[in-house]
Amino acid sequence: METLIGIHVAQLDAWRDYTAALTDLLDVPEQMPPKPVSETETKPSTPDAGSSKPSELFGEEIADHMLDRAAKARVLKDKAAALRSVLTAYQLKKLEDAERSLDPGPGRFH
């Protein structure tokens, strides 16, 4: 795609930053790996158990995952803005056309 768009040497850093951020955002494991079970999670809780940190609730784990994704999305938006500032109008049009051809169709990202 780099060749198709006609990326020049002066544009390489912005291009590679953008593609790295895009790849990072889209690189989602099919299934979240299970966390290792700690010894405190396998023992029944007692009122006097003085645990220093309570375990996370299911919703908190989801929220942490979403916050990580949001941070990656922000990086991608910043890198896209930087790339737009160095590409010509013709190159932007070529990039839009190329990206549109990669779209897997309706419902893919829902």
Side-chain angles (χ1 to χ4, degrees):
M1 194 178 303
E2 189 174 300
T3 305
L4 174 70
I5 298 164
I7 299 295
H8 301 289
V9 173
Q11 300 167 322
L12 274 175
D13 287 342
W15 170 253
R16 291 191 177 148
D17 288 348
Y18 169 74
T19 56
L22 179 60
T23 302
D24 193 34
L25 178 68
L26 295 177
D27 186 27
V28 179
E30 288 295 320
Q31 186 176 15
M32 297 290 293
K35 287 181 161 181
V37 179
S38 70
E39 187 178 317
T40 57
E41 291 175 327
T42 58
K43 292 181 180 178
S45 62
T46 59
D48 59 288
S51 68
S52 58
K53 179 183 169 201
S55 61
E56 284 191 327
L57 300 173
F58 177 70
E60 290 176 304
E61 291 180 35
I62 293 172
D64 288 342
H65 178 69
M66 291 296 115
L67 288 170
D68 180 55
R69 305 275 301 145
K72 290 178 180 184
R74 172 52 45 209
V75 169
L76 176 59
K77 291 291 285 183
D78 292 344
K79 299 303 179 181
L83 180 62
R84 284 181 178 280
S85 73
V86 299
L87 294 182
T88 65
Y90 176 76
Q91 288 174 312
L92 282 170
K93 175 73 172 121
K94 294 287 277 185
L95 177 56
E96 289 168 3
D97 291 344
E99 286 181 333
R100 196 173 305 111
S101 73
L102 299 173
D103 185 1
R108 172 61 174 95
F109 295 111
H110 297 283

